Amino acid sequence: MAARRGFEAGLCAAEHLDASGVCAGRPVRAADGALTTALPTRAGDGVIALMCLVPGRPLHADDPLDQSWWGGALGAAHRSLRRFVHPDLAKFQVAAVPAAAPHLAMEPWLGPAVTETAAVVRRIMVTDQLTYGVRHGAPDAARFRLDSSTGRVGLVGWAAAGTGPLLYDLAHAVLCAGGTAAEALVEAYVRAGPVPSDECAAVLPAMLALRTAARAAAVAEKIHADGGTPRDHAELTRMAALLL
């Protein structure tokens, strides 16, 4: 099963990180060395994994000091994974949302935003030499754990791990921090991570626009499917303000 292989690839990334000294909630292998165990469910066959607890509290996205911890920990994780490879890590897809998807017609700006931001990033990937590596995939503030007794910051939740431009991970974090005014997060990332500062300055805006468009498309899909919640509608409005 491709989903199981991808999930286990993320577990392997967490295991590698933990061995390098970055708390990542490494998996506890079964007696036979397996990373996961089959778990039949009503929806079909699933798998379960046992992970080590990463102590500490989640970071707060709107706290400038926490943003520094956030950026530094993400950069350290990217650097520690530079030599990690796994054949089942998902490859980065610039245009993950089909241009003809019906929910993109919900707002007049949404379809063009998805198409245009993908085109810009695609050109950058062809013309510029970007820093690639293993991405966490969803580095929200809540995925990080600050242990106040040691000052260490861990990063959990590696199920969405994949490979691609590392700045797309940073763009995800910046969007979660509000989409603007995340200087502390970006500066801490550049100090700790493998991406040069000039690449970050030149490419991050395009990656952030693409990540914002992808987030807007995901929210619009939810609203299109079931009407969404007031929070979903407010989120779509926020994404529009960032893109327009």
Side-chain angles (χ1 to χ4, degrees), residues 63-123:
D63 186 311
L65 181 57
D66 275 16
Q67 288 183 13
S68 292
W69 290 112
W70 190 356
L74 181 61
H78 283 171
R79 184 174 292 281
S80 295
L81 288 167
R82 290 303 299 273
R83 290 186 172 84
F84 176 76
V85 294
H86 196 290
D88 295 318
L89 284 170
K91 304 297 188 295
F92 175 71
Q93 299 291 327
V94 176
V97 183
H103 59 275
L104 296 186
M106 284 185 55
E107 298 284 349
W109 55 268
L110 184 54
V114 170
T115 302
E116 291 164 13
T117 56
V120 169
V121 170
R122 192 177 289 110
R123 284 196 298 271

Side-chain angles (χ1 to χ4, degrees), residues 17 21-24 54-59 65-66 68-74 76-77 141 143-148 150-156:
L17 257 187
V22 178
C23 295
V54 176
R57 65 162 177 86
L59 297 181
L65 181 57
D66 275 16
S68 292
W69 290 112
W70 190 356
L74 181 61
R143 303 292 178 95
F144 292 79
R145 299 288 186 273
L146 171 61
D147 185 348
S148 58
T150 63
R152 299 182 69 189
V153 182
L155 176 53
V156 301

Side-chain angles (χ1 to χ4, degrees), residues 130-171:
L130 303 183
T131 305
Y132 286 74
V134 177
R135 301 183 303 106
H136 177 274
D140 308 346
R143 303 292 178 95
F144 292 79
R145 299 288 186 273
L146 171 61
D147 185 348
S148 58
S149 65
T150 63
R152 299 182 69 189
V153 182
L155 176 53
V156 301
W158 288 85
T163 59
L166 295 180
L167 283 181
Y168 196 66
D169 251 9
L170 180 60

Side-chain angles (χ1 to χ4, degrees), residues 15-32:
E15 189 174 52
H16 177 91
L17 257 187
D18 218 80
S20 71
V22 178
C23 295
R26 63 177 176 81
V28 178
R29 291 180 177 265
D32 62 356

